[in-house]
Amino acid sequence: MDAISFVLGIKSSHLRSSHLRDLVYRGRVLRTSTINGDGSASKNCVNGHVNGDGEIGENGEDTQESTQGRNDPKSAWVMAVYEDDAGDEQTWKRTITNQGASEYRINNRIVTAQQYNEALENENILIKARNFLVFQGDVEAIASQSPRDLTRLIEQISGSLEFKADYEALKEAQEEAIENQNFNLNRRRGINSEIKQYQEQKREADSYTKKADQKDQAIVTHILWKLYHFQKVMEESGAEIQKHQEELKEHKRGVSKYEQYLEEAKKEQAKVGRDVGKVERIIKKKEKDVDEKENSLIPIAEKINLTNDHLKKAKARIAEISKTRTNQSDAVKRRRKDLKAVEKAEALWAAEQQKLSEREGRALSEADIQEYNRLREDASRRSSGDQVKADNLARQQRADEETVNSLRSKVDSISHQMDKLTEEIQDISQHRDVVNELIAQTAKEIEDKKKNLNSLTSERLRVAQLRTELEEKLQEVLTKLYDAEDGRKQSEKETRLKGLIADLKRLYPGVKGRVGELCKPKQKKYGDAVSTALGRHFDAIIVDNQKTAEECIMYLKEQRRGINEFIPLETIFTTPIDSNLKGMHRGTRMAIDTIDFDKSVVRAMEFACGNAIVCDDLSIARYICYDKGVQAKAVTLDGTVIHKGGLMTGGRGRDQNRRRWDDTEVDNLKKLAEKLRAEFAATGDGRRNAMEEETLQGELTGLEQKLTYARDESKAHERNLASKQKELSYAQRESREVKPKYREKLQELDELNTALKTFRDAVGVVEDEVFADFCVRLQYDNIRDYEAQQGSLQQENAQKKLEFRQQSKRLEFQLKSDEQQLQETENRVKVLENRTGQDEALISELEAEKESTSNDLDTLRAELEQLGEQLEEHQGRYAKKAEKVAEQRREVQKRSKHVDGTVKVVAGLESEIHRNAADRYALLRRCKLEDITLPLETESNGLEQLPIDGAVPADPDAMDMDGDPDSSSFQPVAVQDYGIQVDFDDLDEDLKENSDDKLDEELQGKVIALEDEMKKMAPNMRAIERLEGVESRLKTTEKDYEDARKRAKRAKDDFEEVRDVRFEKFNKAFSHISEQIGPIYKELTRSAALPMGGQAYLDIEDSDEPYLEGIKYHAMPPLKRFRDMDHLSGGEKTMAALALLFAIHSYQPSPFFVLDEVDAALDNANVAKIANYIREHAKPGMQFIVISLKTGLFQGSEALVGIYRDQSANSSKALTLDLRKYQ
């Protein structure tokens, strides 16, 4: 399959290697072959090597030299021989080198890859569509492919895929051209609309200019009238002030003496108050010291109690161990006494034995001794062999007896030591268990104390953190409140205005309130802009109708409470908001859209805001007013204003605007501050918890010290127990080693005694025979009795001495062990006595510290009592001084009533002067900002000398009434006029004489009427010059639109041409495949039992442009309902996929069709159906090449082809078997 695919131009990614060079076989060739230039091999037997191939090792493997010298093939090739229907034969050959380079030949002529592909396509062999072969995994892939994958497959077969890139590019170009055409069309329409608009605006501009001149004159007249009466009021008020100040001087001289008395009384009171405060601070400090001393006594007392407990236990332990030491000392004394008794007994026994031997011994004559010696020599000579053996055994017997006795003594000593160690271990274990119980109990108490301490600490930290957070929040709220209150310091005029509105609401239900109170900016950043946009309407009062407004104005006149503007909701005339101004720029919005208000006052808000625009910055405002020519007031967020006429002013200052809408915020801040104070007070100071925490800390320290002592004692017991257990283990191990040796030696001694008795009996027979006459004469039964009488005493003496020595050694060993234990006990007693001494010293130190602290505490308490007495004394003096101050204050107040009355009158007149001066400054500032020309005196300064910011005359509320009565309060009222003198000659006499508010309303109404007429007109003053520019742009836009229309038409024609070609090719292939899929599937699934077969069809999703969407393939096997392809069995999927492959192949079929194991998932019945289909459709011009392992396919074929490798030729070869003659 690789060879067929390779020679027909299939990419290496579809073969069994990722690179073409990997297809060159690099295995070892025969040793007798030589690699030719074309990659083939020829035999060569020179010296048994191939092209210098290396030698074969002894084990049949190539050596390193053979590997390096081996000449692997450098190239590989496949040649296909194709015979067409006419009998003409062509050879197609493709060669690949180990470097990855390809060479193409047709009929042995070298061609390019493109020419090679074109030659194959001429024979209807399509490489890209692969219509001539089916790989092994293609059947499964086709059965599970998506609708879009099937669409792409049909595009490859039909050739429409080649037009995909052009289709997409032309489609994009068409969409871009249409978009450009629509853009230019919209531009042309917009410019035509602008031309009509500017022509209309030009007519309105002329009328607007005339109205503007009339309005300017009305404004000047109104301003002159107001300035004249402001000046008149200030002059009259100044004269009144001068008169009252003379009277005020006389009254203040009489009050000054009592004020001096009051100041002296206040100083004395303050002095006594400082003494009281000083004593109170000292008392607080002393109380804090007392608390600290009391708290420090708690851990000291706890440590003393714990140390006393530990000392008692240590003394009890010393008494217990001392008792043990006494017992051990008595045991040592007993051992020593026993040892002395044994030594004394041994000496007495030796003396007795000496006397007994002298008393019972029998004396022999010299002749008897000589005869005994002669007979003994004879007996020895006759029994020398047995005697030697008996002597040897006797010597060995004595040695073994000593060994057995030594082992017996050792076993007894070890047993005694083991019993003693076992008792000691039990005693130590009991003490250790008691200490461990104490440790567990103490640890549990410590854990409980720690839990309580942690709980108290956590609670204290939580309360401290909560108090800190509350303090921070409260400080932050107070800071904001201070800033807000600082920004909200209202003048007397504002306070009076609020009181006026409250009175009006109470008297007239139709009063709604001020504009500034009834609206609020949606965002804080709009505050300055909105207040500037509202301007003089900010303080206007909204009422329900004109009648209510007239009643309110009448009330103001009667009560002489100033002048205010009223907006009647029922009759107010509002200019509709220009909808074109909305959305002109993303950084702009209508002023009315930036505030929140009740719907009931919407008409008043529309009147106050008008068409004012709020801009994010000055550049946007300039763009709207200057570049776009919009005739509307533009206000920036920082308060800068560009008026309708183009005049730009600084607007209101931020400090003035910032306090407009913060009433609600201040109230909320006050409520929040009160809430935080209450929460802070509820947390408490945590002092009680701190004392409990210190107490627990002291108890915990004592328990931890107690636990440390107990653990040290437990560790000592553990070490002692480990040492004793180690000794016991050693003794047990030694016992296990000694006892077998003892039993073994004892058994050996018994066997030795038996052998010794045998030899001695043999010697005794000889001795009885030799010493028979001698024994009879001396009256002994046998010679052994004689010798026993003489030798038994010595033997008994030796045995007795051995017993004495063994008993002495045993007592000495036991004495040494008891002395060692006694020494260990004395060491333990010394350690405990040292600890007891340390504890007693610690108790003495703690008692001394406790006594010192108690003495200090008593001293502090005594000092507190003295300070308390001093405080009571100072408080009594302070109360007397306070009473004296109160008395002097009443005297001053009594004599200053007349002064206060005169001061109030003067303050009122000064406020009137300052208020009129401020109004005069505001009018002059307005004239400067709005460029209003006023008539001035010849010697007057111009309006350019008037400052814009920071030079407003002092507010009347700024008058300091607490200053020096002889200086600041008697100074004449100074009003800053900046050298500006207005010429009132042009003002009519009627206007000079009449200061009625009604006249003010008439003058202002005239201006408003002219402004309303101008607002209705709203002309564009730059309409003429803009009209010319727009007409010029229209010509350019007309040309651009025509060019765009032509480009769009060309792009559409090109796209439709490619689309039609692509659709035609795709539809032609799809129609053919769709018609063939049903019959082919029926033929593949038909059987004798089911002659109708199954059903299969293709469903297209988009009939207009089918290549853009998917194509669904549906297959229904016989006698089965419709189901999705994924739910079919493996065999059913394979049959459906093969039907689709055969249908696709029937469109532009290649002369041959290669199938690679497509029957892998089929049973024998389906394999037979595939074989029948292939056999029926195989014909001249249509050859099926099938790779299969199923007998059902290759037994019905016309020929069998087998592929094998010819190692000698380094190439593959084929064996062909023609089966037609067997059919």
Side-chain angles (χ1 to χ4, degrees), residues 16-28:
R16 301 182 188 180
S17 61
S18 58
H19 302 285
L20 285 175
R21 62 175 178 271
D22 296 336
L23 296 175
V24 180
Y25 178 67
R26 295 187 297 275
R28 181 175 61 83

Side-chain angles (χ1 to χ4, degrees), residues 694-898:
E694 291 179 358
T695 303
L696 279 177
Q697 186 66 44
E699 294 176 356
L700 186 62
T701 302
L703 288 174
E704 288 177 348
Q705 189 175 4
K706 178 180 178 181
L707 180 64
T708 302
Y709 292 154
R711 284 176 176 170
D712 291 341
E713 187 174 357
S714 176
K715 289 179 181 178
H717 285 313
E718 291 290 346
R719 288 194 298 270
N720 196 8
L721 183 62
S723 176
K724 296 299 180 183
Q725 287 177 345
K726 188 175 181 181
E727 292 179 10
L728 179 62
S729 176
Y730 176 77
Q732 290 174 348
R733 185 169 64 253
E734 193 174 8
S735 176
R736 288 194 298 270
E737 292 175 358
V738 171
K739 283 183 178 180
K741 291 181 181 179
Y742 170 71
R743 288 192 293 269
E744 182 181 355
K745 289 295 181 181
L746 188 63
Q747 184 178 358
E748 290 177 359
L749 183 61
D750 293 339
E751 293 174 356
L752 184 64
N753 289 332
T754 302
L756 180 61
K757 183 175 181 303
T758 301
F759 287 110
R760 282 181 176 176
D761 290 343
V763 172
V765 172
V766 175
E767 288 179 345
D768 290 341
E769 183 180 350
V770 172
F771 288 98
D773 295 335
F774 182 81
C775 291
V776 170
R777 185 170 55 86
L778 294 178
Q779 299 179 354
Y780 286 101
D781 293 336
N782 51 51
I783 192 59
R784 289 181 294 280
D785 292 339
Y786 170 76
E787 290 177 347
Q789 183 180 2
Q790 298 296 323
S792 62
L793 293 175
Q794 296 178 357
Q795 186 176 2
E796 288 177 1
N797 291 338
Q799 182 66 29
K800 196 68 175 178
K801 288 180 180 179
L802 179 63
E803 291 178 357
F804 278 123
R805 283 198 302 272
Q806 289 177 350
Q807 189 173 5
S808 297
K809 288 182 180 179
R810 184 171 65 254
L811 289 173
E812 288 175 355
F813 178 78
Q814 293 176 352
L815 177 61
K816 184 178 181 180
S817 177
D818 292 342
E819 288 177 346
Q820 185 177 2
Q821 291 180 359
L822 178 61
Q823 184 63 35
E824 291 178 356
T825 304
E826 289 178 349
N827 292 336
R828 291 171 58 192
V829 170
K830 288 180 180 179
V831 172
L832 290 173
E833 287 176 349
N834 291 333
R835 289 184 182 177
T836 304
Q838 293 175 1
D839 290 342
E840 289 175 348
L842 179 61
I843 290 173
S844 299
E845 293 177 1
L846 293 174
E847 289 289 350
E849 184 179 356
K850 181 179 179 181
E851 184 178 359
S852 175
T853 305
S854 299
N855 294 334
D856 294 341
L857 187 59
D858 294 338
T859 303
L860 290 173
R861 285 172 177 166
E863 291 177 355
L864 271 177
E865 291 179 0
Q866 294 178 1
L867 289 172
E869 294 175 357
Q870 293 179 12
L871 180 60
E872 290 178 359
E873 181 182 353
H874 288 304
Q875 286 177 345
R877 290 172 55 200
Y878 184 79
K880 292 179 180 180
K881 296 297 182 182
E883 180 62 28
K884 185 177 179 181
V885 169
E887 183 180 355
Q888 294 297 332
R889 184 176 286 111
R890 286 193 294 272
E891 290 292 333
V892 171
Q893 291 175 354
K894 180 179 178 181
R895 288 167 172 76
S896 61
K897 289 182 179 180
H898 299 292

Side-chain angles (χ1 to χ4, degrees), residues 20 157 168 184 301 315 398 665 764 844 879 903 972 981 1065:
L20 285 175
I157 295 297
E168 292 177 350
N184 284 287
K315 288 183 177 179
R398 288 192 295 273
E665 182 180 358
S844 299
V903 168
Q981 301 295 327
K1065 286 182 172 291

Side-chain angles (χ1 to χ4, degrees), residues 144-199:
S144 60
Q145 67 183 349
S146 65
R148 285 190 174 273
D149 293 336
L150 181 56
T151 302
R152 182 175 178 83
L153 178 61
I154 295 178
E155 275 205 282
Q156 290 177 343
I157 295 297
S158 65
S160 65
L161 188 61
E162 299 176 0
F163 297 93
K164 181 179 180 181
D166 294 339
Y167 174 89
E168 292 177 350
L170 290 173
K171 184 176 181 181
E172 184 178 355
Q174 179 192 7
E175 292 174 351
E176 183 178 354
I178 292 174
E179 184 179 356
N180 189 24
Q181 178 187 356
N182 293 333
F183 173 73
N184 284 287
L185 178 61
N186 291 331
R187 280 182 59 198
R188 188 181 69 172
R189 291 175 178 173
I191 291 173
N192 287 329
S193 177
E194 283 187 48
I195 289 174
K196 294 180 180 178
Q197 182 180 359
Y198 286 132
Q199 288 175 350

Side-chain angles (χ1 to χ4, degrees), residues 252 359 438 531 582 597 650 709 775 815 883 958 1152 1195:
K252 284 191 175 181
R359 184 174 62 250
L438 177 62
S531 61
K582 293 185 178 181
F597 51 85
Y709 292 154
C775 291
L815 177 61
E883 180 62 28
F1152 54 85
Q1195 71 182 1

Side-chain angles (χ1 to χ4, degrees), residues 200-367:
E200 181 66 25
Q201 289 177 356
K202 181 178 178 298
R203 289 190 294 270
E204 293 177 354
D206 297 334
S207 177
Y208 180 82
T209 303
K210 184 178 179 181
K211 294 290 184 182
D213 295 337
Q214 296 176 2
K215 187 195 75 169
D216 293 341
Q217 184 59 40
I219 290 173
V220 170
T221 302
H222 183 217
I223 291 174
L224 287 175
W225 177 80
K226 293 180 75 173
L227 288 174
Y228 176 81
H229 290 286
F230 289 156
Q231 186 70 29
K232 184 178 179 181
V233 171
M234 286 190 292
E235 292 173 355
E236 293 174 353
S237 298
E240 290 292 328
I241 288 173
Q242 188 64 30
K243 178 182 177 182
H244 288 296
Q245 282 187 346
E246 293 298 330
E247 298 175 359
L248 188 62
K249 289 178 182 179
E250 295 297 329
H251 291 301
K252 284 191 175 181
R253 290 192 189 97
V255 177
S256 59
K257 181 176 69 174
Y258 290 97
E259 288 180 345
Q260 185 176 0
Y261 294 158
L262 177 61
E263 289 299 325
E264 291 176 357
K266 286 182 178 179
K267 290 179 181 179
E268 293 177 358
Q269 182 189 13
K271 182 178 179 181
V272 176
R274 285 193 296 271
D275 294 338
V276 172
K278 182 178 179 181
V279 174
E280 287 179 346
R281 288 193 296 273
I282 295 174
I283 289 175
K284 287 183 180 178
K285 185 175 182 302
K286 294 295 182 182
E287 289 177 347
K288 184 177 180 182
D289 294 340
V290 169
D291 292 340
E292 291 178 356
K293 292 293 182 181
E294 289 177 348
N295 293 334
S296 63
L297 283 175
I298 295 173
I300 293 174
E302 184 65 23
K303 287 181 181 179
I304 291 174
N305 294 334
L306 291 174
T307 307
N308 283 327
D309 293 342
H310 188 269
L311 183 61
K312 290 178 182 178
K313 292 179 181 178
K315 288 183 177 179
R317 184 63 180 158
I318 288 173
E320 183 180 353
I321 296 175
S322 298
K323 189 183 293 184
T324 304
R325 182 180 62 181
T326 302
N327 295 334
Q328 291 175 350
S329 178
D330 295 340
V332 169
K333 291 178 180 178
R334 286 197 301 272
R335 299 294 184 198
R336 289 175 179 171
K337 185 177 180 181
D338 293 344
L339 182 60
K340 290 180 180 179
V342 170
E343 291 175 352
K344 185 176 180 181
E346 183 180 3
L348 291 174
W349 175 80
E352 290 177 358
Q353 288 298 321
Q354 182 66 28
K355 293 178 180 180
L356 181 63
S357 176
E358 293 176 355
R359 184 174 62 250
E360 293 182 356
R362 294 180 181 180
L364 295 177
S365 63
E366 186 68 25

Side-chain angles (χ1 to χ4, degrees), residues 50 377 517 682:
V50 179
E377 290 178 357
E517 294 175 348

Side-chain angles (χ1 to χ4, degrees), residues 647-679:
L647 177 64
M648 184 170 64
T649 61
R652 295 179 183 266
R654 293 187 62 85
D655 294 337
Q656 181 180 0
N657 298 325
R658 186 177 56 190
R659 59 179 186 238
R660 294 271 187 166
W661 285 283
D662 59 355
D663 294 341
T664 304
E665 182 180 358
V666 171
D667 294 339
N668 293 335
L669 287 175
K670 287 181 178 179
K671 292 178 181 177
L672 180 58
E674 292 299 328
K675 180 182 178 183
L676 291 175
R677 287 194 183 98
E679 292 179 358

